[in-house]
Amino acid sequence: MSRRAPTQFPFGHLTADAGASADPVLVEIVQGSLASVEMEVETAIGRTSRSPMIRDAHDFRAGIHDRLLRKLTGRSYSALVHPVARDFPIEEMREGDVFFHNDVYRSEGGIGHLPDLCVTVPVFSAGRVVAFVQAFGHHDDIGGAVPGSMPSHATSVFEEGLMVPPIRLWDAGVPNRSALAIMTRNSRMPESLAADLDAECSACLMGARRLGELFDRYGVDAVESCFDAIISRTTETYRREILGKIPVGTWVWEDYAEHDGVDEPQLHTQRITLTRTPADDPDGERLILDFDGTSPQAKGPINHCGDYSDGVFLKKWLAPILRNLADTPERMAELDVNEGIVPLIEMRFPEPGTLLTPVFPAPTNARTFVILRLLGVLAGVVAKAVDGRMPADQETIRYTGVYGEDLEGRPYLMREVLGGGSGGRYYADGEDTIHVVPDSRNLPTEFTEARFPFRVESLSLAMDSGGAGQFRGGLGYEKHLRMLKDGHFMSIADRSILACWGVKGGQAGQPFQVTIDPGGPNERAVDALADSEPVAAGEVIRIRTTGGGGWGDPLRRDPALVVRDVVWRKVSPEAALAEYGVVLTGSLADDSLGHDEAATAAERAGRPAASEAFFDRGPGYATLAAGAPYAEVDLV
């Protein structure tokens, strides 16, 4: 349970037969309508917003919640309605109201850093609130010490931008121009911010009308009964299909962020003790996630406020990892993550003052280092429980960008969220260049070259970046930008020392790396946390993002697949021998590449025994762990 002061919310508690009276045909209609409305809201935002981060990169999400604040949809994660319901009585809300907030410490855990702006619109039927439509996304600039509002060396949230607790941004359909003026005045990109907020408010108001029509057509009681059925079905599905795959017992694992932007690189620990309770447990069959052993809050901005509202946001953030236990990949894709997973997970937080329980005004703008790592920690601790039948690690968010003045002397800011490779799985290789945010993408070359003073000279897969394994890790990006005018490079990224870990004999992937002027007279590496690295006109910025970890012993990989990867330029000929023990024959030049079966078998037979550790963290771990090759928790 959270040790924060409790806040009362109108939560509903499902009984065993909740939703049982709902017409099953109507349940399908309502569930499809919810998904349709959510998608329509997101489509409207994407088509009418202005900033590259929202319009082109699609770093935003919509969500639909009922009047009990329960998340109903499962195709995307969302923020929470809790802070709005806490500060504004539901019975006093009016049609046309739009609520806004981005205050991390007043968001009940639903907002991680200040650039994530959230709008919430109540849905009405017969004159009362019956649901909520919400959207939140990462915006280009909300003020603060540096362009982009993500100062990598911040020691206080006050350096990170404008904090807005929940406010009524539109009052019964009338925008609060004074509040909008304050927000845009604090932004370096006021026109984009104003346009994005208008797009999000309008899209959510449209979604509220669509959802209201559903209630008007079928009646409030019938639709709410369907909500109960949708949530109850998720609970029962996860209990039957997912929890049953984890044996009763307790396991411990941890992983680390490497740098907080202020102190020297070190191991910032995030630990989970996982307990699977039996079916006859007095408090019910569930997973207990205990975060005791997590490091103290960092001086720099890698903290995340997770311990609010009993960690309800964090439960829904982490739950998609559990879908990897589904019987098939196809079944995994069918499983929604809505409020139905909440009763199946209990969270136990340490006292305030840790990476997950920071005390105001600790900075949080790089909190992705913690919440992304927690996805991997949960995957790792579950892997220990199920003999590795979970994917290896991935790191698929990092913020890079450039800013300065364009060729006409106008200020510009380009931020991009480049993905990376996902981890190998017990049945397949990892995927290349994915992003943890659904539907997100890298910025189109045609758009960026037309708008900003640089040229994209190449964009490709980063060869050898995926961790070697029986099933190889997915590859990251390699992107080259040539500056046409002096500017500054910025980066908020992790996994530049520590790599994405491999599991059950699989090797770690390659870490994140930025090099300016590679091969030139001024070649230099750039720290993964950088606010304003100068880049001269004509210099190239080379960005290589992380590859996913490998799964299983690389010496057990089919040599034909290694040859194929070399042909596809995902694996170099050198790595084919060094990492996979495959002796190549022929040549890429004349399409005759193959392998020598006898020489390959002899090469593999002569290799030393694999490490006793269940996880491979790569060579960077020893750098930060006083030479230790692995952590004690890496043993099974």
Side-chain angles (χ1 to χ4, degrees), residues 38-39 42-43 53-62 75-77 434-442:
E38 185 178 75
M39 189 175 297
E42 291 185 357
T43 300
M53 189 66 77
I54 300 295
R55 182 188 63 199
D56 301 288
H58 281 214
D59 193 359
F60 66 91
R61 294 290 87 198
R75 60 173 295 274
S76 67
Y77 64 89
I434 68 164
H435 196 306
V436 73
V437 178
D439 300 327
S440 290
R441 61 202 69 179
N442 60 303

Side-chain angles (χ1 to χ4, degrees), residues 323-531:
R323 296 186 300 182
N324 288 284
L325 295 172
D327 287 337
T328 65
E330 292 77 17
R331 181 56 178 155
M332 172 184 169
E334 293 172 351
L335 296 179
D336 284 344
V337 174
N338 57 34
E339 206 75 19
I341 60 91
V342 171
L344 301 178
I345 301 174
E346 177 186 337
M347 293 194 162
R348 297 178 180 175
F349 292 97
E351 294 290 340
T354 71
L355 290 173
L356 271 178
T357 61
V359 177
F360 181 83
T364 68
N365 75 77
R367 95 295 186 207
T368 50
F369 294 10
V370 168
I371 62 171
L372 285 182
R373 194 68 65 253
L374 285 179
L375 294 171
V377 181
L378 180 57
V381 74
V382 172
K384 292 180 73 171
V386 298
D387 193 31
R389 289 175 68 85
M390 289 289 285
D393 191 34
Q394 64 183 37
E395 172 71 21
T396 61
I397 288 183
R398 75 275 307 145
Y399 302 89
T400 61
V402 292
Y403 67 92
E405 292 185 348
D406 63 19
L407 299 178
E408 284 73 42
R410 298 169 300 197
Y412 74 91
L413 168 66
M414 188 284 292
R415 297 300 297 265
E416 186 168 27
V417 187
L418 285 174
S422 71
R425 298 155 285 181
Y426 65 90
Y427 56 87
D429 292 344
E431 300 289 341
D432 302 325
T433 59
I434 68 164
H435 196 306
V436 73
V437 178
D439 300 327
S440 290
R441 61 202 69 179
N442 60 303
L443 295 178
T445 295
E446 296 81 1
F447 166 77
T448 55
E449 289 188 340
R451 187 162 178 174
F452 305 117
F454 58 75
R455 184 167 62 244
V456 180
E457 295 207 330
S458 68
L459 176 63
S460 63
L461 298 178
M463 183 185 291
D464 292 334
S465 57
Q470 180 181 357
F471 297 103
R472 175 183 45 73
L475 273 60
Y477 283 103
E478 178 161 331
K479 189 167 189 174
H480 295 199
L481 304 178
R482 185 176 296 276
M483 298 298 294
L484 303 180
K485 187 175 181 179
D486 293 356
H488 293 84
F489 174 78
M490 58 174 61
S491 172
I492 297 288
D494 200 18
R495 292 298 200 205
S496 64
I497 302 172
L498 302 173
C500 296
W501 44 265
V503 67
K504 206 172 183 183
Q507 297 180 8
Q510 291 296 310
F512 175 79
Q513 181 188 66
V514 175
T515 305
I516 293 179
D517 198 29
N522 298 312
E523 178 176 340
R524 58 199 183 276
V526 178
D527 194 276
L529 283 166
D531 289 335

Side-chain angles (χ1 to χ4, degrees), residues 311-328:
V312 67
F313 173 83
L314 212 52
K315 291 179 184 182
K316 288 176 280 191
W317 169 260
L318 294 175
I321 287 295
L322 300 175
R323 296 186 300 182
N324 288 284
L325 295 172
D327 287 337
T328 65

